[in-house]
Amino acid sequence: MNESLIACPAVLALELAGGGSPDRLELTRDEAQTLAALMADDLHTLLPGVETARLAVAGALFDGVELLRPGFPVYATLEELARRIPRVTGASGVVAFGTHEGHMPAEPLVPDPAYVGGPMRLMPWILLVPADEAEEMGSRMEVELVGRGEAGTATADFLMRTLGMRLEHARYLSRNDLIALTCVQYEHVNLAPLWTVLEAALLTPYKDETALGSRGLPLHYAEGRVGIPGPAAWFAQAGSKQGDAAHEFAGTLFELRQYAALLAAHHVPLHLEDQSAQTAGYLVEPMAEADSALPPPKLYAHEAAGLGMAAITVAQPAPGKARILAHGYPLAPDALAPLLDTLVGRYGATAEIHALGRVLLDADGALSAPAPVVH
């Protein structure tokens, strides 16, 4: 009667000791089943009456960004696999999924090694609970796990031996606990505005949400993605120009790169609000069409400490003032080359990059390019 079961999602949170890392990120099928049986023993103590539920464990270690993505694909896959297995009494109330001949049973259950560097690894699990018990079980999980959810010694020892790692803590948390913990972590590093739109993408994807970055850049979540205004146009109109305006604009771009990296990790697309097209890793802010009466466009690189090439401006030399056609912003570490290719192809610019050595703004605070010298 799988249709009458409600999924209550959770994690086993593993805090690694001394900057270590596991030997591998996945358990074999047999290892996962052994671990799931140990976890079931823990949960019988923490959640009396849990016998009426089915425990399903994904034998893989993830980072939080992989579990907290719109639609919760890791959990959705785990639930789908668990529901395919016929429910019978006894020990088969516990199911686990690990590798068989080196492969997990579904792609969403494969951890991405790009996110292996964090101090905490997370193993997702769910309880499939009869519908008339689900609300009570979910409430108990919220109270009991965060309060006294330390994993048993046998569970922690098995994980340390099997995956070759040392643990400070192994603790059961509900998925809501994980969301709350992530919120606190992001707020601690001054990313509260980003969390506002990420939380909307996770929990209320049907609603619009807005937030302001710490430097005032608006963030707007709608229809599954986060939009921002063109950074140069926004800064010229509304950015803070107290003191060193170029430094302020570079700070805005630094913050934008942080936002872009985390949005990408959570699989929430970022785009410029007045454009339907999206490109991975960079943004292009169009400003004007090329003037055929002027020389071919050139590329100018704005540079700032900590950012390298912070922005690329496409401009045509014109008497007295350059004609600005577009600005490009490399947001991901590997995005500069494809951004340059796009600007050369779209605007017919010469491929040579003219390094400015600084962020160049005009008198109005608009991102600019050098004016040709008039003799």
Side-chain angles (χ1 to χ4, degrees):
M1 300 295 288
N2 282 352
E3 295 77 8
S4 65
L5 300 177
I6 304 297
C8 297
V11 295
L12 176 55
L14 308 175
E15 184 181 345
L16 277 63
S21 61
D23 291 344
R24 50 195 166 96
L25 299 178
E26 299 165 348
L27 296 174
T28 66
R29 198 158 56 184
D30 289 343
E31 291 168 343
Q33 196 65 45
T34 299
L35 175 64
L38 294 169
M39 293 171 62
D41 289 342
D42 292 343
L43 293 174
H44 286 154
T45 301
L46 293 168
L47 300 169
V50 75
E51 304 76 26
T52 60
R54 163 177 277 192
L55 170 65
V57 178
L61 302 180
F62 294 89
D63 185 83
V65 298
E66 299 177 274
L67 298 185
L68 301 183
R69 288 171 173 167
F72 301 103
V74 172
Y75 286 101
T77 301
L78 177 59
E79 180 180 349
E80 180 186 353
L81 291 173
R83 287 182 182 276
R84 290 180 187 174
I85 299 176
R87 166 102 173 167
V88 295
T89 58
S92 59
V94 178
V95 296
F97 302 95
T99 61
H100 176 62
E101 297 180 348
H103 299 286
M104 292 295 285
E107 187 62 32
L109 298 188
V110 178
D112 186 341
Y115 302 113
V116 75
M120 184 174 289
R121 306 303 300 172
L122 303 168
M123 184 168 289
W125 55 276
I126 59 172
L127 292 178
L128 287 173
V129 184
D132 59 349
E133 302 173 20
E135 184 174 351
E136 182 197 1
M137 179 61 75
S139 297
R140 287 171 58 207
M141 287 171 67
E142 300 293 340
V143 173
E144 299 297 337
L145 296 186
V146 74
R148 57 187 192 95
E150 196 76 18
T153 301
T155 303
D157 286 348
F158 176 81
L159 282 164
M160 287 190 285
R161 287 197 319 271
T162 305
L163 295 176
M165 59 185 179
R166 291 188 303 118
L167 295 176
E168 289 283 353
H169 297 286
R171 177 173 289 276
Y172 297 101
L173 298 170
S174 73
R175 190 174 67 194
N176 284 341
D177 294 332
L178 176 61
I179 290 172
L181 179 63
T182 306
C183 171
V184 171
Q185 291 172 334
Y186 283 10
E187 288 178 346
H188 183 67
V189 291
N190 298 318
L191 292 171
L194 179 73
W195 178 253
T196 298
V197 292
L198 270 176
E199 187 176 46
L202 293 171
L203 301 181
T204 54
Y206 46 87
K207 289 185 179 179
D208 288 12
E209 184 62 79
T210 57
L212 289 180
S214 65
R215 295 176 181 269
L217 183 71
L219 307 171
H220 178 212
Y221 171 81
E223 299 179 350
R225 57 185 188 163
V226 172
I228 61 168
W234 167 80
F235 187 80
Q237 181 179 3
S240 171
K241 304 176 187 67
Q242 303 296 322
D244 187 342
H247 179 76
E248 289 289 336
F249 186 67
T252 299
L253 295 185
F254 181 82
E255 185 175 78
L256 180 57
R257 283 192 186 179
Q258 287 183 300
Y259 290 172
L262 283 166
L263 288 170
H266 286 276
H267 286 193
V268 178
L270 175 69
H271 72 113
L272 292 184
E273 286 206 299
D274 57 351
Q275 297 184 49
S276 58
Q278 293 175 192
T279 48
Y282 63 86
L283 298 172
V284 176
E285 179 182 10
M287 305 298 291
E289 295 297 323
D291 185 338
S292 58
L294 295 175
K298 296 181 179 181
L299 301 179
Y300 299 90
H302 303 266
E303 298 169 286
L307 288 172
M309 291 189 182
I312 307 293
T313 292
V314 187
Q316 288 180 286
K321 186 177 183 180
R323 180 178 177 84
I324 308 299
L325 305 184
H327 305 295
Y329 307 96
L331 301 179
D334 57 353
L336 182 60
L339 169 61
L340 294 173
D341 289 343
T342 295
L343 295 176
V344 169
R346 187 179 300 179
Y347 294 98
T350 55
E352 180 185 4
I353 301 174
H354 301 272
L356 300 174
R358 60 192 178 103
V359 173
L360 181 61
L361 303 179
D362 66 17
D364 299 320
L367 202 58
S368 190
V373 178
V374 179
H375 296 288

